[in-house]
Amino acid sequence: MYKPGKETRGMIFDLDGTLADTMPLHFKAWQTTCRSFGMEMSREFLQSHMGRPGWEISKDIISLHGLNDKINDRDLVKAKVECYMAMENEVKEIRVIGDIVRKYHGIIPMAIGTGGFYEAARKTLSRIGMSEYFDVMVTADDVSKHKPHPETFLKAAGLLNIEPAAIDVFEDGELGLEAARRAGMNPIDIRPWIKAW
């Protein structure tokens, strides 16, 4: 299991699918919503988009189905958010990652670096009882370029006041792992530690 290296001075955690077990619910919400708009979304499609904000996912799925002139991406993402919110009380912590947070809290500075929006991220942290562990949170509202661009993680590093090379990044998606690499940080792929959705 995880043990920080001697050079580790900070940690950044993705939220959805890394710290909070939200991805099965997000997938269900996307599937339900897409079907109501006459589209299908595969697990592989969503997995390849993990770490990107909902409005980008919305645009890409509409484009994939060739329905750009028939479906408004804002309407789709709004409906998806409403569908997800109806299920959000089912969100639970991913214990193996939560245990890392609790073990090193107060020892190694930590931040959240998520492709989700601030309000949703704040609610998710509260739902899993982990709000108190993070003073720094960078969301889709705080950056102009999203994962795999490194801006999310670099901004978090700046707020932590820690050099990127001394930060471990915990991620469950390829885009996030790539963003960590581009930021010059140490990417930790948590997927081998958790049950696949």
Side-chain angles (χ1 to χ4, degrees):
M1 195 44 71
Y2 173 78
K3 185 178 180 184
K6 291 180 181 178
E7 70 287 346
T8 302
R9 298 288 177 269
M11 299 175 174
I12 301 175
F13 294 82
D14 175 44
L15 184 56
D16 291 298
T18 296
L19 198 51
D21 192 15
T22 56
M23 291 316 298
L25 300 179
H26 279 295
F27 181 48
K28 187 176 178 182
W30 274 117
Q31 274 194 315
T32 301
T33 306
C34 283
R35 283 173 184 159
S36 73
F37 281 79
M39 300 182 293
E40 288 291 330
M41 178 180 284
S42 68
R43 187 183 306 273
E44 293 73 25
F45 178 91
L46 186 56
Q47 286 174 334
S48 72
H49 284 71
M50 283 163 55
R52 295 177 69 189
W55 61 268
E56 288 188 7
I57 297 171
S58 178
K59 284 185 175 187
D60 284 357
I61 195 70
I62 291 169
S63 181
L64 181 69
H65 285 81
L67 296 171
N68 297 68
D69 56 342
K70 292 187 170 64
I71 300 173
N72 185 302
D73 60 278
R74 288 185 204 146
D75 292 339
L76 180 64
V77 79
K78 182 174 181 285
K80 182 267 172 179
V81 168
E82 288 170 359
C83 185
Y84 175 81
M85 285 174 67
M87 301 183 288
E88 68 179 350
N89 63 336
E90 299 174 37
V91 173
K92 292 181 174 57
E93 167 196 334
I94 295 177
R95 186 78 192 191
V96 66
I97 307 303
D99 285 345
I100 293 170
V101 171
R102 283 183 285 273
K103 182 173 182 178
Y104 295 103
H105 180 249
I107 300 169
I108 298 176
M110 302 178 189
I112 293 289
T114 177
F117 292 98
Y118 174 79
E119 196 56 36
R122 186 189 62 77
K123 285 173 76 174
T124 298
L125 277 176
S126 177
R127 177 79 59 190
I128 64 174
M130 302 212 81
S131 302
E132 66 192 90
Y133 294 100
F134 299 95
D135 294 324
V136 171
M137 183 165 70
V138 178
T139 72
D141 295 302
D142 304 308
V143 298
S144 59
K145 296 183 175 108
H146 306 284
K147 301 172 186 176
H149 192 279
E151 185 180 359
T152 297
F153 295 145
L154 291 173
K155 186 157 192 175
L159 292 169
L160 289 170
N161 197 27
I162 298 171
E163 284 294 313
I167 295 176
D168 290 347
V169 177
F170 296 79
E171 266 283 358
D172 69 313
E174 289 299 332
L175 297 179
L177 292 165
E178 176 63 20
R181 283 189 285 270
R182 289 190 193 179
M185 299 176 183
N186 178 35
I188 311 270
D189 185 349
I190 67 133
R191 290 174 295 187
W193 307 343
I194 63 174
K195 182 181 172 184
W197 58 273

